[in-house]
Amino acid sequence: MKIDCVELREIRLPLVRFFETSFGRTTTRRIILVRVEADGHTGWGEVACGEEPFYSYETPETAWHILRDYLIPWSRSREWASPSEVAEHFRPIRGHNFAKAALEAALWDIESQRRGIPLAKLIGGTRETIPCGVSIGIQSSIEELLEMIQRELDSGYQRIKIKIKPGWDVEILEQVRTRYPRIALMADANSAYTLEDLDRLKLFDRFYLMMIEQPLGWDDLVDHARLQREISTPICLDESIHSADDARKAAELGACMIINLKLGRVGGYTVARKINALCAARKIPLWCGGMLESGIGRAHNIAVSTLSAFTLPGDVSASRRYWHEDIIDPEVTVTPQGTICVPQIPGLGFVPNLARIEKVTVRKERFE
Ligand code: OSB
Ligand code: MG
């Protein structure tokens, strides 16, 4: 593969409804799209990091800088046998995983067109449908939250995740469980607690949650291992897992029983496949997390969700939950059974809508 040209674009997409976590509220997404031309094909990737350095240290500005000054020139330096070879070449650059993942994703899109194999198949995926859950942000009232849960259950979603933080946790879960005693329910704290909150965290066991996601420090493994010994609710790690080594160490320490994998957070498909193999061998269930992606990131999330260890419903849901109009055709839709059908054609399986993308672009730069 020889890369002829790379184009970066920043787009702004207003969310249908704000999304609030323990670290803040998002109303409009700033997303960087990476478009690559190579061997007569065009591939797309998405930088899905947050607008602010609150989920991770990356922001659209840091990603633009790392792509423009390092990843794009490095990727154009020679020919490559596979996208994984490019990922290996990026190794000396520490971190900046969301930026790396976006460029690598565009190359996998191209490779899948070049080889005439659907993207999910090319990366080694085995599923034709993926099970879907939803992530519901912090609301202004419990009534609003209960209404939203009902709406998502009516749409068929297989599990409900609610965001929690101190002051929006035990009492909220109590009411949700009273109303819905049998649903698959979980809670995501986005690092809002410390071991000082151990007594409060122990109360969560009453709600027989599928898991509690990232209760403690965003880069911690040791305290999570301690917490897992004290509670029966399975811990799922999100923010703390950036590499296959992190996943192995978390398993060895007993820091979690489940892992949320995000392509951007782990730096792309090559690492995601390594984590998949490791988790399959150690029987650690995986599921695909979300970063409020546009259709392009969402299409890549669908592909990665087909890997064998992705046995639990992910946070990959329908375009209409996020956008009045997505930037791909067709939009991502979810069946009444709460599944997404994996595209069976070469490439991403969704076509970027260029006119729509042009309309929401606020800056672009081309590298030839
Ligand atoms: O922690 O999983 C998270 C959104 C932004 C940042 C972090 C997270 C989330 C979500 C939303 O939970 C998942 C989605 O619907 O895309
Ligand atoms: Mg999370």
Side-chain angles (χ1 to χ4, degrees):
M1 178 185 292
K2 179 86 179 70
I3 297 173
D4 295 316
C5 160
V6 181
E7 187 180 81
L8 294 183
R9 284 171 181 264
E10 180 181 337
I11 61 168
R12 301 267 163 111
L13 286 180
L15 287 163
V16 165
R17 190 180 151 78
F18 69 82
F19 190 83
E20 187 170 325
T21 68
S22 62
F23 56 72
R25 184 179 280 197
T26 308
T27 51
T28 297
R29 289 287 280 130
R30 280 180 70 188
I31 288 166
I32 295 172
L33 298 179
V34 180
R35 182 174 157 275
V36 178
E37 286 171 28
D39 305 341
H41 298 284
T42 301
W44 292 82
E46 166 170 345
V47 180
C49 65
E51 288 70 31
E52 316 278 359
F54 301 157
Y55 170 80
S56 75
Y57 60 77
E58 288 185 86
T59 69
E61 292 298 331
T62 69
W64 193 285
H65 156 54
I66 293 296
L67 279 157
R68 180 194 58 207
D69 297 331
Y70 296 93
L71 304 177
I72 293 173
W74 287 20
S75 69
R76 298 178 67 233
S77 62
R78 59 177 175 93
E79 281 201 36
W80 308 100
S82 82
S84 284
E85 201 177 65
V86 184
E88 284 297 313
H89 190 65
F90 289 163
R91 253 235 285 255
I93 298 164
R94 294 185 179 171
H96 299 284
N97 285 352
F98 279 93
K100 290 174 180 169
L103 183 51
E104 197 197 330
L107 301 182
W108 282 100
D109 179 7
I110 289 171
E111 183 71 0
S112 126
Q113 296 171 49
R114 233 170 52 92
R115 310 243 315 252
I117 306 170
L119 181 57
K121 284 257 155 53
L122 175 68
I123 63 160
T126 53
R127 268 166 245 286
E128 291 188 358
T129 63
I130 61 163
C132 306
V134 289
S135 173
I136 302 180
I138 292 166
Q139 306 299 318
S140 356
S141 70
I142 178 75
E143 290 75 27
E144 263 176 299
L145 176 65
L146 291 171
E147 240 169 71
M148 292 187 78
I149 292 175
Q150 187 59 52
R151 196 170 329 133
E152 306 296 7
L153 292 171
D154 290 343
S155 301
Y157 286 103
Q158 298 184 16
R159 72 101 171 96
I160 301 290
K161 157 170 144 183
I162 65 170
K163 293 289 192 179
I164 56 167
K165 65 176 181 182
W168 182 269
D169 52 13
V170 176
E171 295 74 16
I172 298 302
L173 285 166
E174 182 85 59
Q175 298 207 46
V176 173
R177 258 309 178 220
T178 304
R179 176 77 69 90
Y180 301 105
R182 307 178 75 93
I183 61 170
L185 180 67
M186 60 173 291
D188 185 359
N190 289 108
S191 294
Y193 299 89
T194 70
L195 282 179
E196 306 252 291
D197 303 307
L198 184 57
D199 290 339
R200 191 155 193 88
L201 291 165
K202 282 183 177 172
L203 298 177
F204 288 33
D205 281 347
R206 290 194 209 150
F207 307 119
Y208 46 99
L209 303 175
M210 284 177 88
M211 67 195 92
I212 177 168
E213 185 176 338
Q214 199 73 31
L216 307 178
W218 63 275
D219 58 350
D220 167 76
L221 295 177
V222 173
D223 285 357
H224 280 100
R226 160 90 188 283
L227 176 63
Q228 187 67 92
R229 290 194 292 272
E230 305 274 345
I231 62 174
S232 57
T233 305
I235 293 176
C236 169
L237 288 177
D238 172 353
E239 282 90 328
S240 292
I241 306 297
H242 306 101
S243 63
D245 265 338
D246 283 346
R248 176 183 57 77
K249 289 171 190 173
E252 284 175 7
L253 285 170
C256 66
M257 294 166 69
I258 300 169
I259 293 175
N260 161 340
L261 187 146
K262 295 180 183 171
L263 270 175
R265 203 193 60 234
V266 305
Y269 282 108
T270 302
V271 174
R273 292 166 78 189
K274 285 187 188 149
I275 295 177
N276 181 71
L278 184 142
C279 288
R282 291 178 182 257
K283 307 225 179 326
I284 296 173
L286 282 173
W287 53 275
C288 182
M291 292 294 294
L292 314 173
E293 283 90 350
S294 82
I296 289 169
R298 201 165 294 281
H300 283 292
N301 288 346
I302 293 169
V304 80
S305 300
T306 64
L307 295 175
S308 63
F310 286 68
T311 52
L312 296 173
D315 279 348
V316 185
S317 58
S319 298
R320 61 186 296 256
R321 295 189 61 250
Y322 305 86
W323 321 115
H324 292 293
E325 194 189 350
D326 205 339
I327 60 168
I328 51 164
D329 292 313
E331 294 198 338
V332 174
T333 55
V334 169
T335 67
Q337 291 72 43
T339 61
I340 291 173
C341 300
V342 179
Q344 302 296 325
I345 53 174
L348 263 191
F350 299 87
V351 182
N353 180 333
L354 299 178
R356 166 95 178 117
I357 290 172
E358 191 60 36
K359 258 202 277 185
V360 294
T361 297
V362 295
R363 63 168 157 167
K364 68 178 160 188
E365 196 170 339
R366 238 177 117 82
F367 306 86
E368 342 214 10

